[in-house]
Amino acid sequence: VLPEDFELNTESMPRDTKTLMASNPRELGFIDGYWYWRLRAESNMMDPENLPKKSYKQLCRDMGLAIVNPQTEHVLGIIELYEYLKSSPFIGPFGTIENPVLVPAIHQERVVGCSGGTGDSEHVPLWFRCQEGFLYRCGECDQIFMLVRVLYELPDGADPNPIDPDVNDVFDFKLLEKGNEMWNKGGMIMWPTAYDALHGTELGGQPRQEAARELGA
């Protein structure tokens, strides 16, 4: 999710942006976190001198995006597998007690439809609820089904979104000030977000309303 997906008006921006940008983003609420990542992302995008020099990992972190690592690849693989399995018909050996048809699910229950085997063994789909911990026999063809939950768990105490050791996660407030000087000069405000962040205004230089101050305080 990116800031532009649910863009907030600048009147909700906290007045003390210097303290905001020195905060730990993991400890911020929704509005403060929104403005932290929006200012950090825009400050890096509006720095044409250093933007091309950034590594992939550093740019992802500055933009508030997840860095691709083995953990995220594993999670995405599970999601893609489940999305495929939940929309595709099961094709395989006839389910028996020794080798039941495995029904993948992320919950403890899933609706299953059995159409039997092939040829003369095929029958009208028979629907039933398959729950975790039980074997289910089709009432028409005696085929056996078993639900298997698709889960991904982290070890106790593991961070689900660890910071890469090669990434600098401290925002330099001078980057915001530098961008403001570059883009907002000569009476022209070409980057209104930075101007409002540094001058406590809204909408590119207009005084903030009292009600808006309470929201962004």
Side-chain angles (χ1 to χ4, degrees), residues 46-199:
M46 301 298 279
D47 182 19
E49 179 182 354
N50 296 309
L51 182 62
K53 303 176 184 178
K54 289 184 177 291
S55 66
Y56 159 77
K57 292 181 179 180
Q58 186 64 55
L59 182 59
C60 280
R61 184 57 183 169
D62 288 334
M63 296 295 293
L65 303 175
I67 299 174
V68 176
N69 52 35
Q71 290 79 6
T72 56
E73 289 180 346
H74 187 69
V75 172
L76 289 175
I78 290 179
I79 294 175
E80 291 177 355
L81 173 63
Y82 178 71
E83 289 296 324
Y84 169 76
L85 293 177
K86 79 176 185 180
S87 61
S88 302
F90 298 160
I91 300 176
F94 191 85
T96 63
I97 294 179
E98 295 78 14
N99 186 27
V101 176
L102 301 181
V103 181
I106 59 174
H107 297 295
Q108 297 178 348
E109 179 181 278
R110 184 175 177 186
V111 176
V112 177
C114 177
S115 60
T118 59
D120 295 338
S121 301
E122 189 173 357
H123 60 76
V124 176
L126 181 65
W127 301 91
F128 56 91
R129 292 184 179 275
C130 189
Q131 295 182 343
E132 184 182 21
F134 299 92
L135 292 176
Y136 287 83
R137 185 189 302 270
C138 174
E140 187 71 28
C141 66
D142 292 336
Q143 183 163 205
I144 305 298
F145 297 83
M146 182 177 71
L147 184 141
V148 177
R149 298 188 67 188
V150 179
L151 300 175
Y152 177 66
E153 297 180 353
L154 292 173
D156 292 339
D159 190 344
N161 187 26
I163 302 300
D164 194 285
D166 298 331
V167 169
N168 178 18
D169 201 33
V170 178
F171 178 76
D172 186 0
F173 196 76
K174 294 180 180 179
L175 187 62
L176 180 61
E177 297 174 331
K178 174 185 174 183
N180 179 66
E181 294 177 0
M182 177 183 298
W183 298 99
N184 303 324
K185 60 182 179 180
M188 296 290 292
I189 299 180
M190 302 179 66
W191 185 16
T193 304
Y195 187 91
D196 292 336
L198 295 175
H199 296 86

